[in-house]
Amino acid sequence: KRKEEEKSTANSQAESSEPKLADEWKDLDSDRALSGYRLTAERRPDHWMSDEEMRYMKPLIAKYRDDYTKMFRDIKLNSLQKTRTWIENKAIQYSLFTANQTAKA
């Protein structure tokens, strides 16, 4: 009996310590409230890239165009040691994203 009482009090304490959303966030869905209005996968435009990825890929594409092996081997521009496959995927995504942005402008 005593162990059951200890478990129930521990569970009630754990439940009360969980963070709750503030009253002003009640009207928003929890994903939007907790993410700080960041873009989620559902709200992102097609071929979306982060600013960091754009800054990383821009000099590589400017120098090597579509030679992904040379991009992979360039230790100065590929300082984070990204793989050839990652670079290829991001280069394709970069070209689609920039084409989409210029089409909208």
Side-chain angles (χ1 to χ4, degrees):
K1 244 181 172 183
R2 189 176 217 183
K3 289 181 181 180
E4 289 176 16
E5 290 174 6
E6 289 175 2
K7 285 182 182 179
S8 65
T9 56
N11 288 340
S12 64
Q13 288 174 352
E15 290 173 5
S16 63
S17 66
E18 290 180 10
K20 303 216 185 249
L21 295 175
D23 292 334
E24 62 265 12
W25 295 104
K26 284 184 180 178
D27 296 324
L28 301 174
D29 61 334
S30 61
D31 178 47
R32 186 172 177 192
L34 296 175
S35 69
Y37 295 101
R38 285 180 286 173
L39 293 176
T40 60
E42 298 87 37
R43 298 185 200 121
R44 287 184 183 147
D46 292 341
H47 314 298
W48 181 85
M49 290 184 75
S50 69
D51 291 337
E52 184 179 338
E53 291 172 339
M54 296 281 284
R55 285 191 304 265
Y56 193 82
M57 291 306 298
K58 191 173 183 176
L60 285 168
I61 291 171
K63 186 171 183 180
Y64 297 111
R65 297 208 176 243
D66 62 349
D67 193 347
Y68 307 119
T69 304
K70 286 186 180 179
M71 289 182 195
F72 165 68
R73 291 182 179 162
D74 187 336
I75 59 173
K76 289 184 180 178
L77 293 179
N78 186 16
S79 59
L80 298 178
Q81 302 274 316
K82 298 292 185 179
T83 64
R84 185 192 183 284
T85 306
W86 187 92
I87 291 172
E88 183 176 357
N89 291 337
K90 291 301 175 181
I92 293 167
Q93 189 176 358
Y94 178 85
S95 64
L96 291 172
F97 183 74
T98 54
N100 191 16
Q101 293 300 317
T102 55
K104 287 182 179 180

